[in-house]
Amino acid sequence: MKGGTRMRKVLAMLLLLATITCGFLFARPQQAAAAAYSANKLVDYKIPTDVLQVLLDNSSYADGQTAANKGLTPATVTIGDIADLTTISLATRTQNADGTFTSAPNDTVADWVNSATDKSLYDIDANVYNLNLDGKVDASDGPLVTEKLVVNGGTEYPPFNFLMQIIASGSMATTVDLTGVTSKIADNGNAQMLMALFQTNRLPNLQTLILNNDNLGNLTDNWILASTLLGVTSSQRVTTLSLANNGMTNFAEGSAYSISTYLTTLNLAGNDMTNISGTLNAMLAEIVKNNGSTDLSSGTLDANNWNTLNYITTLINSNSGTIALSNNSVNAIVSAGTGQYSQFNLNDGAVLTYLSQMDDASLNVLKDNPKLSASTMTEIDDQINGTGSTAANELTVSQGVDFGSGTIGALNEALTATGTLKIQATLAAGASLTAQVSAWTAGDGSSFAGVLTLPAATNNLWERTNLQATPTVIYPNNSDNAVQIDQELTGMLLTVPADEQAKVRAEKYTAQIKWNIEVGTSATQK
């Protein structure tokens, strides 16, 4: 196949943070652990000191310092200390140059979890999970207070159960990283039951849950996962779930996962996803509704499976959100949309999203697609004939940007972000880089429409540009050649317009920037 990339969909989504306070700098009210157990030391729950050291080295507070850097040790750390962490991790986390983090399984933790059997290190009896709920785990006779587990008439002291209960007491945590905790547990079912000891709905401020490399398989034990690991309350706002490298091919049919309600990012990279069940489709549909992104790029979907083909074509034909698919999946879906499955033809938006991944056979199949417009047919012809752009559009955007805190009484003043926004792109001739920002929303349901001011680029690529809810052209490539963009920007501004200020509360707000490459756009930079 000749020709270049035709990308019209969101290629990058960035989470931005800002906190609005009432006249003083304070992120949000802490939900302190109950006095009855907040002073309890973690070593008293028989958790090994080397495991606790991993926790201290890789967990951090709002100022970015790790618990270890704050001087906490395995011998001194308490549940109250854990409750104040904003990132809680049992994985090895490495900070990248752009401020993001890479997680890897920690052998010390994984070996410990794999070192013993049921009842010595952990208890995964069906009656145990009820003891992890609010009102029971923290009751006066509950496990956190008494440092023991009373189940089925017996008394136990399983340290892994206690550790999961303690991490779930992290009332300030916005990120929990459990990458690799059960990576050495050979049986998927046991791995699921162990991870289900983590009661996600106890963390009111949680936004990101990372469960990579945990050998969870196809989530066959969803009867318990739906109410524990993948269940949230109606007031929680979990936006990112990562399940990369878990040996998945599908999600088992069963209960829906409430964690998907506000998801904008689902990472299934590294899983050979071959089918889409009703359970997985329900989760993907929520993310599409939220205009979010899902990574299914490591698998080849079985387009001969009616349910899978029905679900995926409905999702990508919605033209909302982004689902990353492998080349094999794309071509299988296009080829399947003929004959008895002609009802699964792709529409204009879906074709243009995945056009660059299609082989010649798929492009020729599309020529018989009655859903497609004349302009889309022209783009297909360009791909077949090689008359389109010869440069591939590529875009990577990363950031470590935080707008910090502002005050209700000073909403007329712009907030200046700390950190760096890094934009790397290749724009083919005729392509444009665009961006838009979502509404700023808080956990209490309040929201406002802010104006983000993107700093001017070096080399006069663009001037200071305001981003709002509708796409704004940042840079149009009006030349006949590809253009390379490599920018590191600081000093992004957030302004609350006068007519939006009454909507602002003393809360923590988040928003997302959606970056697009548009092909054939005639708009000029604003």
Side-chain angles (χ1 to χ4, degrees):
M1 181 182 69
K2 299 179 181 180
T5 303
R6 293 289 191 269
M7 302 293 286
R8 292 184 185 270
K9 297 295 289 182
V10 175
L11 296 180
M13 299 180 71
L14 301 180
L15 181 66
L16 303 176
L17 304 176
T19 303
I20 307 299
T21 62
C22 290
F24 51 91
L25 297 180
F26 191 70
R28 58 182 177 270
Q30 295 190 21
Q31 300 187 13
Y37 62 84
S38 61
N40 289 10
K41 294 180 180 179
L42 271 61
V43 290
D44 294 338
Y45 295 86
K46 312 304 179 186
I47 303 166
T49 56
D50 57 350
V51 171
L52 292 179
Q53 191 62 59
V54 173
L55 178 67
L56 299 177
D57 288 341
N58 294 281
S59 302
S60 58
Y61 293 94
D63 61 3
Q65 289 199 63
T66 66
N69 288 340
K70 293 275 192 180
L72 294 174
T73 69
T76 62
V77 63
T78 67
I79 295 180
D81 295 323
I82 300 301
D84 289 336
L85 292 165
T86 55
T87 295
I88 304 177
S89 176
L90 290 175
T92 299
R93 285 171 62 86
T94 304
Q95 188 168 15
N96 305 312
D98 61 4
T100 60
F101 285 83
T102 300
S103 301
N106 185 280
D107 284 339
T108 296
V109 174
D111 287 339
W112 173 59
V113 175
N114 191 43
S115 67
T117 58
D118 189 14
K119 301 298 191 293
S120 62
L121 175 66
Y122 55 81
D123 190 342
I124 52 175
D125 182 271
N127 293 326
V128 163
Y129 298 92
N130 194 46
L131 299 176
N132 297 333
L133 299 174
D134 271 335
K136 293 192 175 182
V137 69
D138 51 0
S140 60
D141 60 349
L144 291 179
V145 176
T146 63
E147 301 176 8
K148 61 184 179 182
L149 208 65
V150 179
V151 59
N152 297 330
T155 301
E156 304 170 2
Y157 305 90
F160 184 76
N161 292 57
F162 293 142
L163 180 57
M164 292 294 99
Q165 292 172 348
I166 290 167
I167 293 175
S169 301
S171 57
M172 291 294 292
T174 58
T175 297
V176 171
D177 191 343
L178 301 178
T179 292
V181 169
T182 52
S183 58
K184 298 187 179 182
I185 299 293
D187 182 79
N188 297 144
N190 283 343
Q192 292 170 48
M193 296 300 283
L194 284 166
M195 296 303 292
L197 291 171
F198 184 73
Q199 196 70 37
T200 299
N201 65 12
R202 293 186 58 225
L203 293 104
N205 294 304
L206 185 66
Q207 298 172 6
T208 299
L209 180 60
I210 306 173
L211 304 171
N212 300 338
N213 301 91
D214 279 320
N215 197 29
L216 295 176
N218 287 350
L219 306 181
T220 51
D221 288 309
N222 53 19
W223 64 273
I224 189 65
L225 293 170
S227 61
T228 57
L229 184 66
L230 300 178
V232 298
T233 67
S234 59
S235 61
Q236 283 178 289
R237 298 292 187 270
V238 178
T239 58
T240 298
L241 174 63
S242 189
L243 291 164
N245 304 310
N246 268 296
M248 295 174 167
T249 59
N250 197 355
F251 281 16
E253 294 285 7
S255 302
Y257 297 121
S258 57
I259 198 171
S260 66
T261 305
Y262 293 96
L263 282 185
T264 54
T265 301
L266 175 62
N267 181 17
L268 293 171
N271 294 298
D272 185 14
M273 306 300 290
T274 57
N275 287 290
I276 299 177
S277 64
T279 300
L280 177 55
N281 179 63
M283 180 172 281
L284 296 177
E286 288 282 1
I287 297 166
V288 165
K289 182 181 71 174
N290 298 335
N291 205 14
S293 60
T294 300
D295 191 338
L296 294 175
S297 62
S298 299
T300 299
L301 293 176
D302 180 7
N304 292 315
N305 180 287
W306 192 94
N307 284 334
T308 295
L309 186 60
N310 178 37
Y311 289 143
I312 192 62
T313 54
T314 300
L315 290 165
I316 63 179
N317 277 339
S318 71
N319 302 139
S320 177
T322 305
I323 299 179
L325 298 171
S326 67
N327 291 353
N328 287 339
S329 289
V330 170
N331 288 298
I333 292 165
V334 173
S335 298
T338 59
Q340 63 175 328
Y341 288 157
S342 60
Q343 70 267 41
F344 300 127
N345 278 325
L346 301 186
N347 62 20
D348 287 329
V351 167
L352 293 173
T353 296
Y354 299 104
L355 189 60
S356 66
Q357 296 179 253
M358 296 179 191
D359 58 25
D360 288 335
S362 293
L363 292 170
N364 282 298
V365 167
L366 291 176
K367 298 291 288 182
D368 297 321
N369 183 342
K371 287 186 178 180
L372 301 182
S373 65
S375 62
T376 298
M377 286 296 186
T378 298
E379 299 235 22
I380 293 170
D381 286 337
D382 286 347
Q383 289 288 86
I384 293 173
N385 299 325
T387 57
S389 167
T390 58
N393 288 310
E394 296 180 356
L395 175 61
T396 302
V397 184
S398 57
Q399 58 98 10
V401 173
D402 193 325
F403 284 93
S405 298
T407 60
I408 290 289
L411 292 179
N412 289 324
E413 300 176 8
L415 292 176
T416 302
T418 59
T420 301
L421 176 69
K422 187 171 185 178
I423 304 173
Q424 294 177 306
T426 300
L427 298 185
S432 295
L433 174 64
T434 71
Q436 64 191 103
V437 63
S438 69
W440 292 80
T441 59
D444 68 346
S446 64
S447 65
F448 66 89
V451 177
L452 283 182
T453 301
L454 189 70
T458 57
N459 301 325
N460 298 315
L461 280 181
W462 63 78
E463 299 177 352
R464 282 179 27 139
T465 306
N466 289 336
L467 306 183
Q468 301 186 58
T470 55
T472 298
V473 175
I474 306 301
Y475 180 81
N477 181 12
N478 296 322
S479 71
D480 295 328
N481 301 306
V483 171
Q484 302 290 328
I485 295 175
D486 189 353
Q487 295 285 320
E488 292 191 13
L489 306 177
T490 59
M492 185 183 295
L493 300 178
L494 168 60
T495 305
V496 183
D499 58 355
E500 292 288 315
Q501 293 179 8
K503 302 176 182 179
V504 179
R505 304 287 182 265
E507 293 287 341
K508 177 179 179 179
Y509 287 84
T510 61
Q512 289 180 325
I513 303 178
K514 300 170 187 176
W515 301 84
N516 295 9
I517 289 181
E518 299 281 353
V519 176
T521 300
S522 61
T524 56
Q525 182 177 341
K526 299 178 181 179

